[in-house]
Amino acid sequence: AEEEAAGRAELRVAHQQASEARASESKLRAVADDATVEVMRLRERAIRDEQALAGLRASLHGAEEKARVAQAVSQRARAEVSGEHNALLEAHARLDFAEEETRSLKARLDAA
């Protein structure tokens, strides 16, 4: 009878330990599932971030290209304006010369 009681006690302890082991396993599975969900969420976020970064790089490249074109246009416009300015200075110098010649000729005519 004592052996039977001891056997039943051991059996109860074994059942209790098995029950605790199943509860621990269940908790560990839940934690693992939560971790898996978090890893997937982070992967999805990383993919979205990479796509956003690629979009920003494309925008930056486009903006840099526009800036290069604008700079080239600006340089050309400055060169054209500079050329026009030089032409105006030359024309003004020729006009001054022509006016001086005209005054000189008029003075000779008046003197004659």
Side-chain angles (χ1 to χ4, degrees):
E2 269 182 44
E3 285 181 23
E4 197 175 303
R8 276 186 256 161
E10 286 179 25
L11 190 57
R12 275 195 298 275
V13 169
H15 280 299
Q16 180 64 29
Q17 288 173 342
S19 177
E20 289 171 2
R22 283 192 295 273
S24 290
E25 180 184 9
S26 178
K27 286 179 186 176
L28 288 174
R29 281 191 181 149
V31 168
D33 289 347
D34 289 347
T36 299
V37 167
E38 182 66 11
V39 166
M40 291 175 70
R41 188 187 68 74
L42 289 172
R43 282 184 182 157
E44 289 172 359
R45 182 175 176 182
I47 289 169
R48 285 193 308 273
D49 288 350
E50 287 173 8
Q51 290 170 340
L53 181 59
L56 289 172
R57 282 186 179 134
S59 294
L60 175 61
H61 179 71
E64 289 172 339
E65 187 60 30
K66 285 180 184 177
R68 279 191 290 275
V69 168
Q71 185 178 18
V73 167
S74 176
Q75 287 173 348
R76 179 165 180 132
R78 272 185 292 208
E80 289 176 6
V81 166
S82 176
E84 290 172 3
H85 180 71
N86 288 337
L88 284 173
L89 289 176
E90 288 177 22
H92 188 65
R94 284 192 302 269
L95 179 61
D96 287 346
F97 181 75
E99 287 174 347
E100 184 61 35
E101 285 290 310
T102 303
R103 278 192 294 274
S104 176
L105 287 173
K106 186 176 180 194
R108 277 197 255 157
L109 285 174
D110 289 343

